[in-house]
Amino acid sequence: MAQIIDGKAVAAFVKNREKDKVADLNNQGIKVSLAVILVGNDPASCVYVANKRKDCDELGINSIEYALPEETTMDELLALIDKLNKDKDINGILCQLPLPRHLDETQVLEAISPLKDVDAFHPENVGRIMMGKYEFLPCTPAGIMEMLSYYNIETSGKNCVVIGRSNIVGKPMAMLMLHSNSTVTICHSRTKNLKEVCNGADILISAVGKADFVTADMVKDGAVVIDVGMNRNGAGKLCGDVDFESVKEKASMITPVPGGVGPMTRAMLMCNTVTAALKQNGLK
């Protein structure tokens, strides 16, 4: 039976650490501020933004929200981002994705200053991740690395398989595992012999977005299994990519859904925001 990797506990540890840093900054007269832009009324995005607001309140970070109508134009959105880039009182800028279809997501992400890019989606920050010389990391991969460290899970020399090649999770996750001296394989929809590849993994990370995609016959005995998925099964119940009940019998450690990777994503956003404030004030 696998040990459960408790993302809520690790997130609480990270947030307490960052809360102390925020208090130190406040004592120096520096107020940490995060600007969140939400375009439209996507229900999931609204929930995420509300949760981020709670996290900011918990840590003492000033959360400033810009709720824009669905019909907002590119020029209007870019003008707001330019204004926030120039505002010295704003440390981090987050534009909630997905955007309405008429807006160019790439252009929007590239418009955010790399110094305030707390999602780490700007090409400059992506390039720094490739080189291993980064200030910010995408929140979900960073959260996974934090969990591995918290539970003293050895990565050096281990075989790591990442299922999924998105710019948000799969690709940066693979780079971070490579930087931690793992031997990394990235799998995707065109991968042949997926089951056999996954069976060679000491650390298996699934970010494919399909309910119960990873089954027990794909998992090596004693593997560490990290489930990034956030899906609904046929009964409408929240679940991950991993068939948890069967896989937990083979894995040595496993993240649940909910309560695994999800809380870490939000915690690392707070971490990036504090890092931005420290950097912009010459303290890092």
Side-chain angles (χ1 to χ4, degrees), residues 2-258:
Q3 178 183 353
I4 303 300
I5 298 175
D6 187 347
K8 291 182 180 179
V10 186
F13 169 79
V14 170
K15 288 194 288 186
N16 282 333
R17 180 186 71 200
E18 299 306 310
K19 186 175 182 179
D20 289 342
K21 295 179 184 178
V22 172
D24 287 342
L25 286 166
N26 286 343
N27 289 336
Q28 298 176 59
I30 299 168
K31 183 69 176 177
V32 182
S33 295
L34 171 66
V36 179
I37 304 170
L38 175 63
V39 185
N41 296 300
D42 178 76
S45 291
C46 291
V47 171
Y48 293 150
V49 169
N51 286 333
K52 289 166 184 172
R53 185 190 315 124
K54 292 177 183 176
D55 290 334
C56 286
D57 290 344
E58 183 181 342
L59 271 68
I61 293 173
N62 184 30
S63 177
I64 305 166
E65 296 173 16
Y66 296 85
L68 307 181
E70 184 86 14
E71 61 272 17
T72 297
T73 66
M74 274 297 297
D75 285 345
E76 290 169 334
L77 181 53
L78 292 176
L80 173 59
I81 292 171
D82 183 60
K83 174 186 173 184
L84 296 173
N85 282 339
K86 295 173 179 175
D87 189 339
K88 294 181 179 180
D89 292 329
I90 297 295
N91 303 114
I93 303 171
L94 182 149
C95 189
Q96 183 65 43
L97 304 179
L99 292 169
R101 290 186 178 182
H102 68 281
L103 297 175
D104 185 335
E105 185 175 295
T106 299
Q107 189 178 354
V108 169
L109 296 179
E110 290 181 358
I112 296 172
S113 167
L115 298 174
K116 298 187 178 186
D117 172 35
V118 290
D119 264 334
F121 292 161
H122 190 282
E124 180 176 322
N125 288 327
V126 173
R128 289 183 177 278
I129 293 165
M130 179 71 70
M131 296 185 295
K133 297 180 179 181
Y134 45 78
E135 297 291 345
F136 307 119
L137 291 172
C139 298
T140 298
I144 292 170
M145 297 306 295
E146 193 80 39
M147 287 195 296
L148 295 176
S149 174
Y150 184 90
Y151 279 90
N152 296 311
I153 296 169
E154 183 60 64
T155 58
S156 182
K158 301 296 183 180
N159 289 326
C160 174
V161 171
V162 179
I163 311 175
R165 53 179 170 179
S166 73
N167 292 332
I168 294 174
V169 180
K171 291 177 186 176
M173 187 74 251
M175 289 309 306
L176 294 185
M177 293 302 293
L178 188 61
H179 291 322
S180 72
N181 297 316
S182 291
T183 299
V184 182
T185 303
I186 305 175
C187 296
H188 46 78
S189 60
R190 302 294 180 88
T191 299
K192 296 180 180 179
N193 304 317
L194 178 64
K195 175 182 172 182
E196 288 77 7
V197 174
C198 291
N199 265 309
D202 300 307
I203 302 172
L204 179 60
I205 303 170
S206 182
V208 70
K210 294 183 179 179
D212 299 332
F213 181 81
V214 176
T215 52
D217 61 348
M218 297 169 66
V219 177
K220 173 182 176 181
D221 285 334
V224 175
V225 179
I226 307 294
D227 190 349
V228 184
M230 190 66 72
N231 316 298
R232 296 281 178 182
N233 61 19
K237 182 181 179 182
L238 191 64
C239 65
D241 290 348
V242 177
D243 180 6
F244 184 84
E245 292 302 320
S246 66
V247 171
K248 72 179 183 181
E249 302 299 326
K250 293 187 72 176
S252 61
M253 305 184 79
I254 189 170
T255 59
V257 176

